Amino acid sequence: MTNAIATPEASPPPAHAHFTLDTVSPAIGAEVSGIDLRDTLDDATVAALRDALVQHKVLFFRDQDITPVQHVALARRFGQLEVHPVFQHHADHPELVLLGGTQAAKARENIYHSDVSWREIPSMASMLRCVECPRSGGDTIWVNMAKAYADLPQAVKEQIADLEAVHDIMPSFGSRMSAEERAANRVKFPAVIHPVVRTHPESGEKILYVNEGFTTHLANFLSTGTFRVGFDFRYGELELLQYLFRQAAIPEYQVRLRWAPNTIAFWDNRSTQHYAIQDYFPAVRRMMRATIIGDKPF
């Protein structure tokens, strides 16, 4: 199912409501079986899936041939859905974004990021269905950013405990807009400030919440000490941010999914980052994503 395999000594997958979970890697990820997402799920199953999502951080479902209507309805069981201001939307369902490049142009999601962290209220979760993909290539990686934080040296934890980071839509999406669109979206989506270490509102976990896709700088780095000159301050900030960004690239915190048509990945966007590998061009990979609105990081 993925490059990571459950260890032989692992206990039998636990049963939850009307489905079964099978852990995929020690750090993150579980495969869900025994469920048909075309059905209307009862409240107990939705609650159990949400619990599993918080625990495992990304859930994988195979062979789920759902329609766009069913995709939107399923995602809505977990919260209100956003409409993305830049990505192309499904013609009949603006809550579904259409992702993927063409034979003429690569897709550009191959950077570690947390979806829409540039919003004042970032997403709770994303639900992505594979419509079309090459026979090989185009995998996606997810990263457990709670474990990335937990394993940081104590001195780094102390340094970043009260730091805040600026997240901005423009570095990744500004080039896709006209000058007029940039001006309009700069008003609608000003840069926002989130804590470098956020707290998961359901699990209470501490999470490293900066990403190279949308985090531009630290808002209050000067508060961490006295600096000789601006040179020291600026390079110290950049070095710290780069160090924090690199935590997402540590394989021990990751799981990697090999896609097939009608595979669905459902991830907790508060506690993960992901990276869509662009190794399949000029083949085409087409995906549909619904994104569930979350809560203000604290």
Side-chain angles (χ1 to χ4, degrees):
M1 179 259 169
T2 67
N3 288 7
I5 304 172
T7 56
E9 67 272 19
S11 58
H16 290 272
H18 304 298
F19 61 86
T20 299
L21 289 173
D22 191 6
T23 301
V24 179
S25 84
I28 179 173
E31 182 173 347
V32 185
S33 57
I35 192 170
D36 188 337
L37 297 180
R38 294 172 299 182
D39 298 335
T40 300
L41 305 182
D42 59 38
D43 290 346
T45 301
V46 171
L49 283 173
R50 189 180 185 108
D51 288 345
L53 179 70
V54 171
Q55 178 184 354
H56 295 283
K57 297 178 173 54
V58 58
L59 304 178
F60 302 126
F61 306 78
R62 293 291 191 182
D63 302 317
Q64 301 289 337
D65 188 11
I66 62 175
T67 66
V69 171
Q70 291 167 330
H71 190 164
V72 170
L74 174 64
R76 277 210 181 106
R77 295 300 304 278
F78 297 90
Q80 294 182 312
L81 305 185
E82 71 165 40
V83 175
H84 199 281
V86 180
F87 282 135
Q88 181 183 359
H89 305 150
H90 187 283
D92 300 319
H93 305 284
E95 306 93 340
L96 286 180
V97 299
L98 308 181
L99 299 173
T102 68
Q103 290 183 322
K106 290 183 178 182
R108 291 185 288 178
E109 291 82 40
N110 54 337
I111 187 170
Y112 287 106
H113 66 285
S114 175
D115 287 335
V116 302
S117 70
W118 44 264
R119 288 187 184 273
E120 184 177 4
I121 308 293
S123 72
M124 182 276 279
S126 295
M127 187 177 290
L128 182 67
R129 180 174 75 92
C130 177
V131 178
E132 175 187 358
C133 60
R135 291 181 62 86
S136 65
D139 297 355
T140 300
I141 293 168
W142 283 268
V143 191
N144 181 341
M145 297 308 296
K147 183 166 178 55
Y149 170 77
D151 288 353
L152 285 173
Q154 184 60 33
V156 176
K157 289 182 179 178
E158 292 172 2
Q159 183 181 16
I160 67 176
D162 298 317
L163 287 181
E164 297 175 321
V166 178
H167 297 245
D168 195 344
I169 188 176
M170 289 301 168
S172 289
F173 289 109
S175 62
R176 305 183 189 210
M177 307 174 193
S178 67
E180 292 77 13
E181 289 170 333
R182 283 195 295 272
N185 279 308
R186 180 77 292 168
V187 175
K188 289 175 64 178
F189 303 107
V192 297
I193 295 176
H194 298 312
V196 168
V197 182
R198 73 174 293 181
T199 302
H200 196 288
E202 296 178 62
S203 70
E205 292 175 296
K206 297 295 185 182
I207 299 154
L208 181 59
Y209 197 66
V210 294
N211 69 88
E212 61 184 349
F214 302 119
T215 304
T216 58
H217 61 284
L218 299 172
N220 60 336
F221 182 71
L222 274 172
S223 67
T224 63
T226 302
F227 297 92
R228 196 175 42 123
V229 291
F231 177 96
D232 290 349
F233 152 66
R234 187 58 178 149
Y235 275 87
E237 179 188 18
L238 292 174
E239 288 174 0
L240 177 58
L241 260 184
Q242 288 299 319
Y243 175 80
L244 298 177
F245 289 160
R246 286 197 300 272
Q247 303 310 303
I250 295 175
E252 284 81 358
Y253 305 151
Q254 299 179 349
V255 66
R256 178 167 172 160
L257 173 68
R258 181 172 183 177
W259 290 100
N262 295 320
T263 296
I264 292 175
F266 181 32
W267 66 91
D268 190 330
N269 205 50
R270 301 163 295 189
S271 58
T272 66
Q273 292 185 36
H274 57 284
Y275 182 110
I277 300 171
Q278 305 294 332
D279 58 355
Y280 54 90
F281 183 80
V284 174
R285 192 187 75 166
R286 296 192 301 119
M287 320 289 272
M288 290 187 187
R289 189 186 80 196
T291 302
I292 301 153
I293 297 171
D295 42 79
K296 188 173 178 61
F298 63 93

